[in-house]
Amino acid sequence: MDDHSENHGTYLVTGATGKVGGSAVRQLLDAGHTNVRALVRDPGRARLPAGVEVVRGDLSDPASLDAALDGVTRVLLVWPTLQADDAAPEAVARITRDARRVVYLSTMGAEAPADTNPVAASHAELERLIRESGAEWTFVRGGGFAGNDLGWAEEVRTTGVVREAFPGWKRSPVHETDLAAVALRALTTDDHVGAAYAVTGPENLDQAERVRIIGEVTGLPVRFEPLSRDEALAGYRQWLPPEAVEDTLRHMAEVTRHPEPVTTAVADVTGRPALTYRRWVADHVADFLPEDAREAGSTARVAADYVDAVARHDFDRVIGDLHAPDYVRVASDDMTGPATVMRADEIAAQVDRVEDTEEIHGVEIDPPLVRGDRFAVRFTFDSTDTSTGERGTYSKISLYTVRDGRIVREEVFFHEPPHVR
């Protein structure tokens, strides 16, 4: 059962300005928690939502943590891997002196790190320190973090070419929202103490496949080119400690021969499927778009805004801001017959007919696919036919045309409409 009572003291989230930590803070607040504290190095630069207490502290300086830990009983620990490992013993000791539960964002492979994988070895050492501290613990061992692909954003924006080594390396990229959701179940409930979850996305993708998806979602002409080993070596030297570079290259060569597994941890813990990589790209579309394409009128921007508004049921924005005054829908009037062109009055009448004949329980919205001045979105409906009581799912794909920053035309294609299921 979720803890909404505030009886567990204050929740502390470290790494709160990062992708997973930031998502965790937002999800805690969205769940109604008012006792949320964020540890940040520079409160003046932190951009966190209202309602979170922001406290200065640095995990690499354990003495700076005391104020942040005052009154804290549960901690989501996002560690600056390889950057503060010398401080780990003292930092974990201070954290677990006050907190009785630590949920640690770890990595797959930490359970048995290879000699050539310094990142996994670092996480393994943190896990050991936490396990031996006597505090309650849960380890959220992430697979390939989708957020790491934001490192490609500048290349996508400026050259349209993503260059990486090990092109055959298949990972199961996991959305930061899913990592945070699993971590928060462990943080706020008592059902996951002592568990270690391997958390991945729902699909296994190599780098070229991920670049292709970025191109499809953004509508940008993007391609993938492999780097040589020497070029990869130079790149790793820019962010890895010198002693870790060669080991990392050897590890990469090894894991390329063994695709990362796909797990069901997100569904097992949260009760919903893991988010796709395509969804992750759609959630970060602005990061990949060139400056001129980020403007409100670009097709990619309109597509992202449209999907976001529909998902939030903000139909006033859809109609008032995103639909052009001369917007038309081309669709079958009864979902099975020939398509007709409908304007505002006919569309409203069709919506009324649908509401009279079926009860819609939920809608799954896929991220948009953008090409030129058009984008496509698939909607999957969970509904009950009110005349028969039969419940099932059906899908429609809508193809939208954008002109001058607004949607002028929607063409609807139904698959298994409700009354012919």
Side-chain angles (χ1 to χ4, degrees):
M1 179 178 295
D2 284 352
D3 163 31
H4 293 285
S5 66
E6 316 309 338
N7 292 333
H8 291 149
T10 297
Y11 296 114
L12 176 66
V13 178
T14 77
T17 58
K19 303 175 193 70
V20 179
S23 180
V25 166
R26 291 188 293 273
Q27 291 184 47
L28 280 168
L29 295 175
D30 289 346
H33 296 287
T34 59
N35 53 344
V36 182
R37 183 179 297 165
L39 178 75
V40 301
R41 291 174 178 166
D42 185 352
R45 297 179 61 187
R47 297 292 180 264
L48 291 168
V52 61
E53 179 188 3
V54 179
V55 179
R56 183 190 303 275
D58 188 338
L59 289 168
S60 66
D61 178 13
S64 71
L65 303 178
D66 289 348
L69 290 167
D70 183 33
V72 166
T73 56
R74 300 187 179 199
V75 175
L76 171 55
L77 180 59
V78 182
W79 186 258
T81 306
L82 299 179
Q83 300 174 31
D85 287 9
D86 289 345
E90 185 180 351
V92 171
R94 283 181 180 262
I95 290 168
T96 56
R97 178 191 63 195
D98 294 291
R100 66 174 181 267
R101 179 178 299 176
V102 177
V103 177
Y104 176 56
L105 180 65
S106 186
T107 187
M108 288 173 60
E111 68 281 5
D115 293 339
T116 56
N117 188 349
V119 172
S122 170
H123 283 292
E125 176 62 10
L126 265 293
E127 287 190 6
R128 183 189 68 79
L129 293 170
I130 295 166
R131 191 183 286 111
E132 294 178 359
S133 71
E136 297 176 345
W137 56 266
T138 306
F139 301 144
V140 179
R141 294 172 175 159
F145 288 22
N148 290 341
D149 286 356
L150 288 175
W152 295 342
E154 184 175 357
E155 292 175 288
V156 171
R157 289 194 301 265
T158 59
T159 68
V161 180
V162 173
R163 304 185 73 228
E164 283 282 359
F166 308 101
W169 185 27
K170 281 185 172 285
R171 306 210 72 180
S172 307
V174 56
H175 198 304
E176 61 268 13
T177 296
D178 286 342
L179 288 165
V182 172
L184 293 190
R185 291 299 179 100
L187 195 71
T188 61
T189 76
D190 296 330
D191 301 331
H192 308 284
V193 174
Y197 295 109
V199 183
T200 76
E203 54 201 336
N204 201 248
L205 301 168
D206 66 27
Q207 295 178 106
E209 290 169 329
R210 303 202 308 271
V211 169
R212 174 181 55 77
I213 291 170
I214 291 171
E216 289 174 352
V217 174
T218 62
L220 299 173
V222 187
R223 72 179 191 276
F224 177 83
E225 289 184 359
L227 287 177
S228 69
R229 187 183 187 281
D230 288 344
E231 289 172 320
L233 194 64
Y236 286 140
R237 283 176 176 149
Q238 295 178 15
W239 65 277
L240 282 173
E243 66 276 9
V245 172
E246 286 290 346
D247 282 346
T248 299
L249 276 176
R250 284 193 291 270
H251 173 69
M252 290 293 300
E254 176 63 25
V255 297
T256 298
R257 293 191 285 270
H258 305 285
E260 194 170 72
V262 173
T263 73
T264 60
V266 173
D268 295 342
V269 175
T270 70
R272 62 162 178 78
L275 299 172
T276 64
Y277 185 76
R278 187 177 294 274
R279 165 65 185 272
W280 178 84
V281 176
D283 288 344
H284 293 274
V285 68
D287 294 301
F288 292 102
L289 293 177
E291 199 65 41
D292 57 348
R294 296 186 204 182
E295 298 175 1
S298 76
T299 304
R301 185 72 267 168
V302 171
D305 289 346
Y306 178 82
V307 169
D308 176 68
V310 172
R312 292 186 290 104
H313 304 286
D314 187 358
F315 296 108
D316 288 341
R317 176 148 196 252
V318 170
I319 296 170
D321 296 337
L322 300 175
H323 282 175
D326 57 347
Y327 162 82
V328 297
R329 176 182 293 169
V330 182
S332 167
D333 184 54
D334 64 356
M335 304 186 195
T336 59
T340 60
V341 177
M342 293 181 277
R343 300 188 183 275
D345 290 344
E346 292 95 341
I347 293 169
Q350 185 193 43
V351 170
D352 288 341
R353 285 193 294 274
V354 170
E355 290 178 346
D356 288 341
T357 59
E358 65 175 306
E359 178 185 0
I360 296 177
H361 308 290
V363 184
E364 181 179 338
I365 307 171
D366 285 1
L369 175 63
V370 181
R371 279 290 182 273
D373 64 351
R374 309 178 91 184
F375 69 94
V377 180
R378 182 174 65 179
F379 302 83
T380 302
F381 299 87
D382 173 14
S383 71
T384 296
D385 187 320
T386 55
S387 64
T388 65
E390 180 186 0
R391 182 168 179 171
T393 61
Y394 68 97
S395 298
K396 76 166 187 175
I397 294 176
S398 285
L399 179 62
Y400 302 89
T401 302
V402 176
R403 186 174 63 234
D404 298 328
R406 304 184 84 175
I407 299 170
V408 296
R409 182 181 176 90
E410 175 187 4
E411 299 168 62
V412 182
F413 305 89
F414 285 99
H415 176 63
E416 294 187 357
H419 52 286
V420 297
R421 283 196 297 261

